[in-house]
Amino acid sequence: MPQRELFVFGHLSGGFVPAGRLVLTEEKEVIASSFAYGTRYLDRPDGFELDPVSLSLADRQLVRGAEIFPANQLTQFGGIRDAAPDAWGRRVLEAERKVPANSLTEAEYLLGAGSDRVGALDVRASLKSSERPGASSVQSLGYILEAAERIEQGLPVPARLADVFGAGTGAGGARPKASVRDENGLLWLAKFPTEGDTFSVADAECFTLKLAKLAGLTVPEVKVLDIGGKSVMMIRRFDRYWQAAGAQVDAGVELYETLPGERRDEQRLPFVSGLTLVGCDEFESRLKGYGDLARSVRAHAHPTLTRANNEELFGRMVFNIFVSNDDDHLRNHGFVRDPRLPGWRLSPLYDVVPRPGVAFERYLHLQVGKQGKLATLDNAMSAYSAFVPQRTTAVAILGRIWGELRQWKARFEGMGSTGKLLDRLSPAFRDLSDICSPALESEIRRGGG
């Protein structure tokens, strides 16, 4: 069977350094993988683990000189798979190379994502291959949007619009998007509208994430830009931060809120998806739930953050129930490695869009509680002990989230929402009585309203 040897680089304080050798065995898809850490990388105290489940560095002597295989009989290493382009990035790469959909090997997709991909990894054909930055300037958004529309329609992309090939290949998800830098050098992910949108998804996502922040959840900076009359959602890349050489960011500062200046250089945070931390593949993920994420937090997040991360995770599940966000699959939950700990922690919230519906009973993608994926607060409370030790804490979280979401229309109006968008999204936002029993509603109103 054909094998392909690739080299994985990790971004440390001085830039990219070789981390190890990846071997992929592929036919039409990857059927096996192996990885060996480089000895020089293992000798570096700042060398981080590429995958906390399959490529742990808890015992560096154990992995020194070893050929490592993915855990749980998986065919790929999740932490490296997360550095590959997802659905949209693959379409961009295919358009650049003028080849049919899904016709490239996984090795070619990994290599094609460029050096501005998510997280702190790069994948190259050889140890001598150079870095390939891919982000464009924010001033080129109009051209990138035009190119993205042509790719979505299956049309060729002319040379004058070629910026999309570098900016879009490292992006994840299925919607058109690209990485761009603003005038200050900050890296943002720009998310474009699609032909099938029935409302302004950019405004809906931006306002909803701002609402989540008001409800006490961790959210990076978001905004909406008007590009040629079309709304483009901008979310600051939380896998990047700014730090002066030899200095350390204060423990009380969120890394994703740091800014350029004062001789600060851009640094990268290692990133893995919830899919990686749970240790399963895409097919198995449909059977997983928030409880699996909570167990993974206890197993792999830094011990000082276990409780706070699981409280936040419970809050995110509750928020998704209220706004009918059923695109909450494991790839839409992430973890970053904080170098100050050092260790893994829940990433800021991303990819939350209300989904209007008419059905009274609704379901999330992930399992919620003892009633499976049923999107009710009673179902969430049936499994609260997986996240927080005390019921009163769980009820207080419900009350906090509800306290903000019950005034969502006023909040959205204050953010600049149109009446048309409010009307379109109204079926997505649930009233408290729609998603919990009278007894639990009374408990929430007494303790958290």
Side-chain angles (χ1 to χ4, degrees):
M1 294 183 186
Q3 290 189 327
R4 183 72 182 272
E5 182 179 75
L6 305 174
F7 294 89
V8 182
F9 287 66
H11 194 278
L12 305 180
S13 57
F16 279 113
V17 301
R21 175 178 53 85
L22 173 69
V23 176
L24 298 179
T25 303
E26 299 189 81
E27 288 184 331
K28 290 185 177 180
E29 57 187 25
V30 178
I31 59 175
S33 304
S34 67
F35 183 83
Y37 277 112
T39 54
R40 290 185 180 179
Y41 185 81
L42 293 175
D43 288 338
R44 296 189 60 136
D46 56 347
F48 58 87
E49 57 193 5
L50 276 55
D51 179 328
V53 176
S54 294
L55 295 170
S56 170
L57 290 182
D59 185 343
R60 295 187 179 225
Q61 290 306 314
L62 186 64
V63 300
R64 187 176 292 272
E67 195 77 12
I68 308 168
F69 300 91
N72 304 329
Q73 298 183 317
L74 295 172
T75 61
Q76 295 189 63
F77 296 98
I80 299 175
R81 176 191 57 197
D82 288 331
D86 212 332
W88 174 252
R90 290 170 188 249
R91 289 185 67 180
V92 172
L93 196 59
E94 291 154 1
E96 179 184 21
R97 301 190 181 185
K98 299 180 174 62
V99 297
N102 304 313
S103 62
L104 302 176
T105 65
E106 189 64 24
E108 290 173 305
Y109 287 117
L110 269 170
L111 291 170
S115 303
D116 275 325
R117 69 186 79 204
V118 66
L121 299 185
D122 198 8
V123 182
R124 305 179 190 176
S126 77
L127 290 172
K128 296 182 179 180
S129 299
S130 58
E131 183 176 345
R132 294 190 304 112
S136 297
S137 71
V138 71
Q139 288 80 12
S140 64
L141 268 177
Y143 295 104
I144 298 174
L145 174 57
E146 183 183 347
E149 290 173 341
R150 293 184 69 87
I151 291 172
E152 193 177 22
Q153 295 165 12
L155 300 174
V157 178
R160 66 182 178 84
L161 303 178
D163 270 359
V164 74
F165 295 136
T169 51
R175 292 183 64 85
K177 56 181 68 69
S179 290
V180 296
R181 289 192 183 277
D182 66 15
E183 57 279 0
N184 297 314
L186 290 176
L187 193 62
W188 296 77
L189 186 67
K191 305 176 75 171
F192 305 127
T194 69
E195 285 187 325
D197 289 343
T198 58
F199 56 89
S200 174
V201 175
D203 287 326
E205 183 173 8
C206 181
F207 299 157
T208 303
L209 284 172
K210 287 184 175 182
L211 191 64
K213 188 169 186 176
L214 291 171
L217 301 179
T218 305
V219 178
E221 184 179 355
V222 292
K223 59 186 178 182
V224 174
L225 297 182
D226 183 295
I227 306 297
K230 297 182 179 180
S231 294
V232 176
M233 155 81 173
M234 305 287 289
I235 179 167
R236 184 172 165 187
R237 286 276 295 268
F238 54 74
D239 57 338
R240 301 291 192 267
Y241 69 103
W242 294 81
Q243 177 182 306
Q248 183 151 321
V249 179
D250 185 80
V253 175
E254 296 286 3
L255 289 174
Y256 60 86
E257 292 180 345
T258 55
L259 297 171
E262 299 179 8
R263 298 186 299 278
R264 298 189 190 111
D265 297 317
E266 186 181 61
Q267 307 295 337
R268 305 186 181 209
L269 292 176
F271 170 90
V272 295
S273 67
L275 189 68
T276 291
L277 214 69
V278 170
C280 66
D281 62 22
E282 300 277 7
F283 180 78
E284 293 175 284
S285 72
R286 294 175 292 179
L287 306 176
K288 301 297 183 181
Y290 284 92
D292 295 293
L293 277 170
R295 283 186 286 274
S296 296
V297 165
R298 288 193 291 274
H300 300 291
H302 195 272
T304 62
L305 295 174
T306 300
R307 180 163 183 162
N309 278 188
N310 273 338
E311 283 189 8
E312 168 108 5
L313 187 59
F314 184 75
R316 294 182 186 186
M317 176 176 71
V318 170
F319 189 86
N320 285 332
I321 290 171
F322 269 107
V323 305
S324 303
N325 172 40
D326 59 1
D327 194 31
D328 59 327
H329 54 81
L330 287 176
R331 280 193 181 273
N332 278 345
H333 298 271
F335 296 82
V336 292
R337 186 180 182 277
D338 191 326
R340 299 169 298 185
L341 297 170
W344 295 92
R345 66 189 305 163
L346 192 63
S347 80
L349 184 63
Y350 60 94
D351 280 355
V352 179
V353 181
R355 181 173 177 177
V358 295
F360 185 77
E361 280 195 352
R362 299 183 189 177
Y363 301 86
L364 300 187
H365 179 92
L366 293 176
Q367 303 277 340
V368 172
K370 293 181 179 179
Q371 292 180 286
K373 303 183 180 189
L374 184 65
T376 68
L377 300 186
D378 290 85
N379 194 22
M381 287 299 295
S382 74
Y384 79 85
S385 60
F387 307 89
V388 297
Q390 297 173 327
R391 180 181 174 86
T392 53
T393 303
V395 173
I397 293 172
L398 300 186
R400 188 188 80 219
I401 302 293
W402 170 64
E404 197 56 52
L405 281 170
R406 62 181 171 176
Q407 50 187 338
W408 74 271
K409 285 188 177 181
R411 294 297 194 198
F412 272 37
E413 285 176 343
M415 296 172 194
S417 177
T418 63
K420 180 180 179 181
L421 181 63
L422 293 180
D423 291 342
R424 187 69 183 87
L425 293 181
S426 283
F429 285 80
R430 310 304 302 277
D431 292 329
L432 187 60
S433 58
D434 290 339
I435 52 176
C436 71
S437 63
L440 181 56
E441 180 177 355
S442 177
E443 192 177 358
I444 293 169
R445 288 181 182 276
R446 287 197 312 270

